[in-house]
Amino acid sequence: MKLKQITGIFAGVLAILFLSGCITSNREEAAENARAYLLKNAEGLTVLQKNYIRYNDPVILHTTLWENVVPSAMPDAHIVARHERNVYKDPGRDMMMYCFGWRVPGMDKDIYVVGTAQRNYRFWEADRIVLRSRTKEDIAGMKIRKKAMLFAISAAPDMKGKIFHRVRYAPPAVHKTMFILDLKTKNADWKDYLNQVKVEEPVQISAIWIDQDTKKHLVVTGVADKANLDDWKPLKMSELTEEETKVYIGSKYTVYPDNTADPFLIQKEMLKGKAKEKAQK
């Protein structure tokens, strides 16, 4: 009995090692294909830059395009295949997008080869070359501006003329604000409110457009969790004068969320950590 158990464990270890080796082999093959595609199709690279790509490992970015779902082999499965009981997922065949990138000396942008493959890198095929800016984009701010635009158009369906086109196509200024969202009368003592308001949680952010004809400020105000500005929700739209708006504005708000972290710096930190662990051993 013990011999069978030992044999089973040994066979399992061999299977794991074999599968790991296959994945590594597929990944290396995909990286070589990406390197060859880049060297063949990229224009304007110097000899030194091409050699950097040839002899340096790429950074790999990935995302799932769609999961592989297989209908069960049962009678009349085509009729009820959409029911979750009659399908199963095969993660190994998920369609993935894998991007192989290099930070080439002398280039102000990172260069990536984009392609698709199964999750284990099998059948990876290059699709295009993409240049990625190294400056962090204000992704959360872009989302806030889009939500504010849609809210403004919905809240004022009769909006016309220049202000409509400005709201529709011109990005608003985004600021931290302290507007009274539950203001019911014009006689509310907003000074007392400003003295006692707590701006830590949640954070209030407003998107502001200026009507060039009337000089009025069109303000869409909402709140978000300080830890996650992606959940910002517009709650109120106001039309104010410049003086009224200035009272409630704190400071210009810009955020760089974690999902825009530099993959090359992440890889550098990982390698430093592994080197430190190896040195300690």
Side-chain angles (χ1 to χ4, degrees), residues 124-137:
W124 186 88
E125 185 176 352
D127 179 62
R128 62 189 181 277
I129 296 173
V130 173
L131 296 178
R132 183 177 186 268
S133 175
R134 294 173 186 171
T135 59
K136 295 180 179 179
E137 299 294 338

Side-chain angles (χ1 to χ4, degrees), residues 6-198:
I6 294 173
T7 304
I9 293 172
F10 183 70
V13 172
L14 287 178
I16 292 173
L17 292 176
F18 175 76
L19 292 174
S20 300
C22 289
I23 293 174
T24 302
S25 176
N26 292 335
R27 182 171 63 243
E28 291 176 350
E29 182 180 352
E32 286 301 320
N33 291 339
R35 182 180 284 110
Y37 182 88
L38 180 57
L39 292 173
K40 180 180 178 180
N41 295 282
E43 299 179 357
L45 294 177
T46 66
V47 174
L48 291 177
Q49 289 172 335
K50 289 181 178 180
N51 285 336
Y52 181 88
I53 294 171
R54 283 192 181 98
Y55 304 119
N56 285 274
D57 293 332
V59 167
I60 303 175
L61 302 181
H62 64 86
T63 187
T64 302
L65 295 178
W66 64 79
E67 296 181 339
N68 183 274
V69 179
V70 183
S72 62
M74 61 176 291
D76 299 324
H78 62 284
I79 299 176
V80 289
R82 294 185 179 181
H83 198 288
E84 61 181 7
R85 292 182 304 174
N86 300 314
V87 298
Y88 68 91
K89 295 182 179 179
D90 185 0
R93 297 184 180 182
D94 289 348
M95 182 58 69
M96 305 289 295
M97 177 183 288
Y98 285 111
C99 308
F100 297 85
W102 286 265
R103 175 161 291 181
V104 180
M107 295 184 65
D108 58 354
K109 294 183 179 180
D110 300 328
I111 188 166
Y112 283 87
V113 180
V114 180
T116 56
Q118 292 182 349
R119 187 171 292 276
N120 61 1
Y121 293 89
R122 287 187 68 193
F123 310 118
W124 186 88
E125 185 176 352
D127 179 62
R128 62 189 181 277
I129 296 173
V130 173
L131 296 178
R132 183 177 186 268
S133 175
R134 294 173 186 171
T135 59
K136 295 180 179 179
E137 299 294 338
D138 184 7
I139 295 179
M142 292 167 61
K143 291 182 179 179
I144 288 173
R145 291 179 175 93
K146 183 176 180 180
K147 290 179 183 178
M149 180 269 291
L150 295 173
F151 183 86
I153 292 176
S154 299
D158 57 342
M159 190 187 305
K160 298 178 181 179
K162 294 181 180 178
I163 185 59
F164 171 80
H165 294 292
R166 190 165 189 81
V167 170
R168 182 67 181 84
Y169 300 109
V174 178
H175 295 274
K176 283 183 179 177
T177 54
M178 292 181 290
F179 288 102
I180 306 171
L181 295 177
D182 58 350
L183 183 63
K184 296 181 180 179
T185 67
K186 295 183 179 180
N187 298 323
D189 193 349
W190 55 266
K191 289 185 179 180
D192 292 338
Y193 174 81
L194 294 180
N195 290 332
Q196 60 184 332
V197 69
K198 294 181 179 180

Side-chain angles (χ1 to χ4, degrees), residues 249-262:
I249 290 180
S251 60
K252 188 172 183 179
Y253 199 85
T254 304
V255 60
Y256 300 115
D258 293 338
N259 60 1
T260 61
D262 190 330

